[in-house]
């Protein structure tokens, strides 16, 4: 079960509201990642780490999210590979802990930009091979769409790098 998030001067009702908000946020991030073709548990782990802002042990992730250790292992590897979380050691602890990576949103946007660039080049290559002018134009328009999105992602990266939100 997800532990309640405690706020100062919130009283019992404030704690219950914050626990509900926390649980809903964690689940929402899980749904968002699932809609992006990533494991829902990866999003739930990410949501927990974003909300709590502290390192969480491997075992605590499994216990709190009520999922298998295997699911946690797969999901944390996915999140680490994308640069969203990082593994940390804690003095006196034998198990791994995870926390939000430094600049996770910058890392995420880099991944998005790379994907958009790859899609653009793939579609552009197809357009170049099409003999029918009308079909080539439609496919090229699709490549141009990916180029526009890639340019937008580049603008976002510059803003994130400059510390803009």
């Amino acid at each position: 079960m997800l532990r309640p998030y405690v706020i100062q001067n919130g009283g019992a009702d404030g704690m219950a509201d914050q626990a509900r908000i926390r649980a809903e946020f964690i689940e929402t991030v899980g749904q968002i990642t699932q809609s992006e073709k990533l494991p829902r548990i990866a999003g739930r782990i990410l949501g927990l780490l974003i909300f709590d802002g502290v390192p969480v042990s491997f075992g605590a992730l499994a216990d709190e999210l009520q999922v298998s250790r295997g699911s946690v292992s797969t999901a944390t590897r996915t999140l680490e590979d994308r640069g969203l979380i990082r593994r940390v050691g804690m003095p006196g602890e034998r198990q791994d802990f995870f926390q939000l990576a430094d600049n996770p949103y910058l890392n995420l946007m880099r991944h998005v930009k790379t994907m958009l660039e790859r899609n653009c080049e793939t579609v552009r290559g197809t357009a170049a091979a099409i003999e029918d002018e009308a079909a080539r134009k439609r496919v090229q328009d699709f490549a141009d769409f990916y180029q526009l999105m890639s340019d937008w992602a580049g603008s976002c990266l510059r803003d994130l790098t400059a510390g803009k939100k």
Side-chain angles (χ1 to χ4, degrees):
M1 169 170 273
L2 298 177
R3 70 176 180 259
Y5 180 75
V6 179
I7 58 171
Q8 292 180 334
N9 302 324
D13 289 339
M15 285 180 16
D17 287 346
Q18 290 302 295
R20 179 186 51 78
I21 290 167
R22 178 180 180 269
E24 287 174 1
F25 176 76
I26 291 168
E27 187 57 33
T28 297
V29 177
Q31 291 169 352
I32 289 169
T33 58
Q34 188 174 35
S35 74
E36 295 172 358
K37 309 299 184 225
L38 290 171
R40 186 178 199 153
I41 184 58
R44 293 180 68 214
I45 290 169
L46 182 61
L48 185 147
L49 295 175
I50 290 170
F51 198 95
D52 289 358
V54 296
V56 180
S57 72
F58 184 91
L61 287 171
D63 291 345
E64 267 198 61
L65 299 174
Q66 297 179 347
V67 296
S68 72
R69 293 174 75 82
S71 293
V72 170
S73 179
T74 300
T76 54
R77 271 196 311 273
T78 298
L79 294 169
E80 282 182 294
D81 289 347
R82 292 184 183 236
L84 299 174
I85 68 170
R86 65 186 181 103
R87 193 177 303 249
V88 295
M90 301 296 267
E93 293 286 341
R94 297 181 81 189
Q95 64 180 318
D96 290 327
F97 282 69
F98 297 91
Q99 69 182 35
L100 203 58
D102 297 332
N103 302 311
Y105 313 118
L106 181 64
N107 296 336
L108 182 59
M109 188 53 68
R110 283 184 182 131
H111 176 78
V112 168
K113 182 163 176 37
T114 299
M115 179 192 64
L116 292 167
E117 288 171 343
R118 185 175 33 243
N119 291 347
C120 179
E121 290 306 312
T122 299
V123 174
R124 195 177 312 254
T126 300
I130 298 173
E131 292 180 9
D132 178 84
E133 189 176 324
R136 184 175 55 247
K137 166 109 174 65
R138 288 189 302 272
V139 174
Q140 184 58 49
D141 287 347
F142 191 39
D144 292 346
F145 164 76
Y146 275 114
Q147 183 63 60
L148 181 66
M149 294 299 293
S150 176
D151 293 347
W152 166 80
S155 176
C156 290
L157 276 170
R158 285 187 296 279
D159 287 349
L160 287 167
T161 301
K164 298 177 185 175
K165 300 284 183 212

